[in-house]
Amino acid sequence: QVSNAFMKPVILIVLIGVAIYTFTKKDFGAVATKNVHPKKAFIYGCIISCVLGFYDGFIGPGAGSFLVMAFISVLGY
């Protein structure tokens, strides 16, 4: 019942930003650098999954890219 038309331009800009970021940062995700405590990693993973699950259900495109970016940048995978 809620139209997502208002978010489409924002998502386009964000996806272009993600593409530019990953294209310019060649070593992104090449080495696991962060050492996150397992309890914090679990909490961060749950938060990331819930936020991206909501995003994926409401808008959809790019959720996989955002998931990969979040897990690499936040958790250091």
Side-chain angles (χ1 to χ4, degrees):
Q1 298 222 8
V2 177
S3 174
N4 65 0
F6 66 94
M7 286 296 289
K8 287 187 180 186
V10 174
I11 298 307
L12 179 63
I13 292 169
V14 170
L15 286 175
I16 290 171
V18 168
I20 291 170
Y21 178 77
T22 55
F23 183 72
T24 58
K25 189 165 178 152
K26 299 292 183 189
D27 62 342
F28 182 69
V31 178
T33 57
K34 293 191 178 183
N35 188 9
V36 181
H37 190 271
K39 286 185 181 182
K40 281 189 177 182
F42 178 75
I43 292 170
Y44 292 158
C46 288
I47 292 170
I48 291 168
S49 298
C50 288
V51 169
L52 286 174
F54 175 78
Y55 168 83
D56 189 33
F58 188 64
I59 298 168
S65 299
F66 294 143
L67 186 66
V68 169
M69 293 268 310
F71 272 68
I72 290 174
S73 61
V74 175
L75 299 176
Y77 291 143

